[in-house]
Amino acid sequence: MGLACGDVEGRLEAIFGRVRAIQAKSGRFDMLLCVGNFFGSTSEAEWTEYRSGAKKAPIPTFVLGANNQDTLSYFPDVSGCELAENITYLGRRGVYSGCSGLQIAYLSGTEAQQQPGPAHSFSAKDVAELKTSLLSTPNFRGVDILLTSPWPRDVGTYANSAGEIDTKKCGSKLVSDLAASLKPRYHFAALEKAYYERLPYRNHMVLQETPQHVTRFIALADVGNTSKKKYLYAFSIVPMSSMDPAELVKQPQDVTENPYRKLRKEAPKSKAPLSAEEEPACQFFFDLNKHQGKKRPSEGKERGDSQPKQAKKPPQPTGPCWFCLASPEVEKHLVVSIGTHCYLALAKGGLSPDHVLILPVGHYQSVVDLSSEVLEEVTKYKAALKEFFRSKGKRYVLFERNYRSQHLQLQVIPVPLDLCTSEDIKEAFIAQAQEQQIELLEIPEHSDIAQVAQPGAPYFYVELDTGEKLFHRIRGRFPLQFGREVLASEALLAQPERADWRQCAAQRPEEAAQARAFRREFQPFDFSLRD
């Protein structure tokens, strides 16, 4: 059992008095971890009594170093030292290992804004050296606790609100990088005079990596603040080294995506050796270690002696279908291109005049059901649309909802390149999914949906023209307009009134004119006119 507190700012009697009261009521705690400013501008009188031994801290207390020039003199040794009985300065950066095996990583100071930085700051080199010292450890899985004074930048992404704190502007990017690499089970920070307990976040890419433990980030307010914001936090933790691996990686129901996923993707892709207990990431029919970007061969078919798959005829619809090209129900004035196995049509009530659908000519319910020759032509249409939209300064977003639909419809919506990045688009989908308790997971760029979707099971997936994909396996109800709602939201196209296609439907003459215009502009990119 331990306690963590925010900025003490020299109020030693206040914090230690509170600790004594808690221990009298709840029993003894093992340690007090102090983040933020331990000393303040008026510390000297109270501090003299503890430094001289006249008073003693009621609990082993571990503190971080100075965050400003005024308090540097309180820390005589940058490598760490005992400041008074029961009060220890951990040092500039490093790892403290308790006798129980508990591992605490720490980084003192604030991020340097220039080089060389002041003595109370840390640099990218400090963070790199701390990371290296731990990541080079055999079978490294993470640390139990990380202590920093600044918040990590972007910690609020995909999470519950941090109140008045703007997590996109507050805090340190270097601390974010450190947290992303060290994967602490608890991360404590302060300095913002606010209490914020973030929802736990996962430390692995679902479907791509073996499950890992979650991280809980807790920011603490300043001791004795008049707003009565929480400044002391009690926690119970069993050292990672002593835990059952299955228990360690259990995921709570409110777990979110990792807020530093951008940093993880931008990091150099070096292969870390697998620990003895760690299974290779072979899940849902793809093996990321052996056949990146390819389906894992079936047993006994790795020698190249398997026969090519025979083309299968599409099943026949059980009733009238609005999208089978031979059906009288099809609104043919919206068709803009016809290939051998697929065709392209403007969406009825589209989000924009160039919102199109890729549809199979025959009756297939989903991408998973497509034969190889139909899938090949779908890929051709995707490539043609990417080239077409890029020539207009746009990128496309494609999605499929295989739920309460009979005929495959790949919705393709262009988004201006200067409006948002591909990361912005993914973040918008993930954030809105979390709001609606939808688990939208990123899957490997070179895998296809058939590798993760179970045959006959409903799903929703999003694909960017970069090949990046997000996938959700539908297990209950699912909002029918989810894909449109995200794209129409303020985060992307900022046209929320167009989320429902029924509110956007035009008269037939206007639709026909839009189709003729699209057909004329798309013609130079239309492979079906050349094949």
Side-chain angles (χ1 to χ4, degrees):
M1 294 280 286
L3 294 167
C5 78
D7 307 87
V8 176
E9 294 184 334
R11 302 184 189 98
L12 304 180
E13 287 302 292
I15 184 60
F16 291 142
R18 181 77 181 122
V19 169
R20 286 188 189 96
I22 290 173
Q23 292 199 131
K25 182 179 179 180
S26 306
R28 293 198 62 79
F29 285 79
D30 298 320
M31 63 179 69
L32 171 66
L33 305 174
C34 300
V35 290
N37 295 312
F38 186 71
F39 294 105
S41 54
T42 58
S43 299
E44 195 56 41
E46 286 190 35
W47 176 237
T48 299
E49 294 186 285
Y50 285 89
R51 187 177 54 193
S52 65
K55 289 185 177 179
K56 176 184 171 183
I59 185 174
T61 302
F62 299 90
V63 309
L64 293 180
N67 297 298
N68 53 64
Q69 196 69 32
D70 295 340
T71 56
L72 266 176
S73 59
Y74 288 100
F75 303 96
D77 186 347
V78 293
S79 61
C81 58
E82 184 176 82
L83 300 178
E85 188 176 358
N86 250 7
I87 302 176
T88 301
Y89 163 47
L90 288 167
R92 183 186 180 92
R93 65 172 185 273
V95 180
Y96 172 83
S97 296
C99 56
S100 65
L102 193 72
Q103 199 170 44
I104 303 172
Y106 56 87
L107 180 67
S108 289
T110 55
E111 182 175 336
Q113 301 304 309
Q114 58 187 26
Q115 292 300 329
H120 60 267
S121 68
F122 57 81
S123 65
K125 183 182 177 185
D126 291 313
V127 170
E129 289 180 359
L130 179 52
K131 283 166 55 177
T132 301
S133 69
L134 282 160
L135 297 179
S136 60
T137 308
N139 304 331
F140 177 75
R141 292 181 292 175
V143 296
D144 292 302
I145 297 172
L146 173 62
L147 304 178
T148 64
S149 287
W151 290 28
R153 178 74 57 86
D154 292 320
V155 70
T157 305
Y158 312 128
N160 48 314
S161 169
E164 70 274 17
I165 306 298
D166 184 351
T167 58
K168 290 187 179 298
K169 296 178 181 176
C170 148
S172 161
K173 287 184 179 179
L174 288 177
V175 171
S176 301
D177 177 38
L178 185 65
S181 298
L182 299 193
K183 303 174 185 176
R185 293 163 65 201
Y186 280 94
H187 179 181
F188 295 106
L191 294 185
E192 300 298 329
K193 300 187 183 301
Y195 170 69
Y196 175 50
E197 184 169 1
R198 189 202 187 280
L199 290 172
Y201 64 82
R202 61 175 68 94
N203 282 300
H204 63 279
M205 300 285 281
V206 179
L207 305 185
Q208 297 187 46
E209 298 172 332
T210 50
Q212 297 182 44
H213 59 271
V214 301
T215 293
R216 289 172 167 82
F217 172 76
I218 293 135
L220 294 159
D222 47 318
V223 170
N225 66 87
T226 55
S227 303
K228 299 192 181 299
K229 295 175 183 175
K230 188 169 182 175
Y231 62 83
L232 194 60
Y233 185 93
F235 61 94
S236 177
I237 186 169
V238 175
M240 191 183 301
S241 57
S242 304
M243 284 192 72
D244 174 68
E247 191 68 28
L248 176 66
V249 302
K250 276 187 177 177
Q251 306 289 298
Q253 283 192 331
D254 56 353
V255 68
T256 78
E257 182 57 83
N258 190 302
Y260 319 121
R261 58 194 295 276
K262 279 188 189 177
L263 287 170
R264 294 189 70 201
K265 291 197 73 174
E266 290 165 4
K269 296 182 180 177
S270 58
K271 291 187 179 179
L274 292 173
S275 67
E277 304 86 27
E278 193 173 356
E279 297 265 326
C282 307
Q283 300 173 322
F284 297 98
F285 314 119
F286 53 79
D287 185 334
L288 297 177
N289 294 319
K290 296 180 182 175
H291 301 279
Q292 180 67 39
K294 298 179 182 178
K295 287 189 180 180
R296 193 175 66 210
S298 304
E299 290 298 320
K301 291 188 180 178
E302 217 161 357
R303 297 185 299 275
D305 55 357
S306 59
Q307 295 299 313
K309 194 165 81 170
Q310 296 297 312
K312 59 180 179 180
K313 291 183 180 180
Q316 296 305 303
T318 54
C321 179
W322 290 92
F323 300 105
C324 287
L325 192 58
S327 168
E329 311 290 338
V330 170
E331 298 199 48
K332 292 187 170 60
H333 67 286
L334 294 172
V335 176
V336 294
S337 172
I338 302 176
T340 307
H341 305 287
C342 300
Y343 70 100
L344 209 58
L346 283 190
K348 193 169 185 68
L351 265 171
S352 61
D354 44 7
H355 174 176
V356 293
L357 308 177
I358 303 174
L359 304 127
V361 169
H363 190 77
Y364 293 91
Q365 183 172 322
S366 71
V367 163
V368 175
D369 299 321
L370 295 181
S371 62
S372 56
E373 66 272 15
V374 181
L375 194 57
E376 184 180 345
E377 197 160 275
V378 166
T379 304
K380 281 186 175 183
Y381 268 121
K382 284 198 252 181
L385 287 169
K386 176 178 180 177
E387 191 178 358
F388 170 61
F389 286 131
R390 288 290 175 130
S391 74
K392 293 181 167 295
K394 300 177 182 180
R395 60 163 53 84
Y396 76 63
V397 181
L398 175 151
F399 66 83
E400 179 198 358
R401 187 196 76 234
N402 179 30
Y403 171 75
R404 291 178 62 180
S405 61
Q406 292 187 24
H407 191 112
L408 167 64
Q409 305 160 52
L410 293 176
Q411 307 268 349
V412 185
I413 298 98
V415 177
L417 285 166
D418 58 2
L419 184 67
C420 51
T421 65
S422 59
E423 281 297 326
D424 292 332
I425 295 169
K426 286 191 291 183
E427 283 186 14
F429 270 96
I430 292 170
Q432 195 142 328
Q434 287 191 334
E435 283 180 17
Q436 301 188 42
Q437 296 184 316
I438 295 168
E439 190 175 34
L440 196 58
L441 308 171
E442 188 160 6
I443 63 174
E445 291 176 24
H446 301 292
S447 63
D448 61 53
I449 297 304
Q451 291 173 272
V452 293
Q454 296 169 345
Y459 62 83
F460 172 86
Y461 96 96
V462 186
E463 180 178 332
L464 306 187
D465 67 4
T466 55
E468 296 167 283
K469 302 180 185 77
L470 301 171
F471 177 83
H472 169 64
R473 184 173 290 112
I474 298 173
R475 293 183 172 89
R477 295 194 172 199
F478 185 80
L480 298 181
Q481 304 292 342
F482 178 72
R484 284 185 66 121
E485 286 170 358
V486 177
L487 286 160
S489 70
E490 295 295 338
L492 297 177
L493 293 174
Q495 295 179 308
E497 71 281 359
R498 300 188 69 84
D500 188 338
W501 71 271
R502 289 165 294 193
Q503 305 300 318
C504 309
Q507 297 297 314
R508 187 182 179 99
E510 185 182 346
E511 290 177 337
Q514 288 177 347
R516 285 194 298 272
F518 186 95
R519 197 180 298 120
R520 185 171 56 252
E521 292 185 358
F522 183 62
Q523 189 172 341
F525 305 89
D526 191 350
F527 67 89
S528 70
L529 300 177
R530 300 189 296 271
D531 290 356

